[in-house]
Amino acid sequence: MHSKLIIISVGIYSPENLKTYYLIDKKTKSSIEKTNLILKKVYYLSGKSDIKNLSFKHKFLINLLYKNAKKKDLIELTKNELDIINAYEQTSDFRLSKLEKLMSEL
């Protein structure tokens, strides 16, 4: 008997960025194929980065990415760089409406 799996993925990259969405989706599905699980649904939520709780190497990497992105003009930024800036600077990107929709579907 196969168990059904629901994944709720939260990260700093926006799920509205289709390129990032497809990369995450492809990786998730390829990982699940190696198991006896049936993937029922994947939910993608964007969040913020809590720098204080990261390890030293992750803090260093995020700070480096953030500082490099901030040096660029707004028009030069990629979607991922915008996501990093937003996740770094926002106090909260939690959207209750998305969570309510997710909960009603579960």
Side-chain angles (χ1 to χ4, degrees), residues 21-32 34:
Y21 170 84
Y22 288 121
L23 289 172
I24 294 169
D25 195 56
K26 182 179 176 182
K27 183 67 175 172
T28 301
K29 288 179 179 174
S30 70
S31 295
I32 297 301
K34 300 171 187 170

Side-chain angles (χ1 to χ4, degrees), residues 81-104:
E81 288 169 330
L82 284 170
D83 288 341
I84 288 169
I85 291 170
N86 287 333
Y88 192 93
E89 292 180 350
Q90 290 181 351
T91 56
S92 178
D93 191 356
F94 187 74
R95 295 188 187 106
L96 190 56
S97 61
K98 289 196 177 200
L99 184 59
E100 288 172 346
K101 179 183 175 194
L102 185 147
M103 294 303 287
S104 69

Side-chain angles (χ1 to χ4, degrees), residues 29-89:
K29 288 179 179 174
S30 70
S31 295
I32 297 301
E33 288 174 357
K34 300 171 187 170
T35 69
N36 289 330
L37 299 170
I38 297 172
L39 185 59
K40 183 174 178 183
K41 182 87 177 177
V42 179
Y43 296 94
Y44 299 97
L45 301 173
S46 60
K48 79 174 229 59
S49 179
D50 189 356
I51 303 297
K52 296 178 291 200
N53 292 325
L54 296 177
S55 67
F56 174 77
K57 68 179 180 180
H58 288 113
K59 283 180 192 178
F60 180 79
L61 178 61
I62 294 293
N63 280 319
L64 183 64
L65 291 170
Y66 172 75
K67 287 177 182 178
N68 283 335
K70 287 296 283 186
K71 290 178 185 177
K72 294 182 179 182
D73 290 332
L74 185 60
I75 197 154
E76 294 178 306
L77 294 172
T78 66
K79 289 180 182 181
N80 285 345
E81 288 169 330
L82 284 170
D83 288 341
I84 288 169
I85 291 170
N86 287 333
Y88 192 93
E89 292 180 350

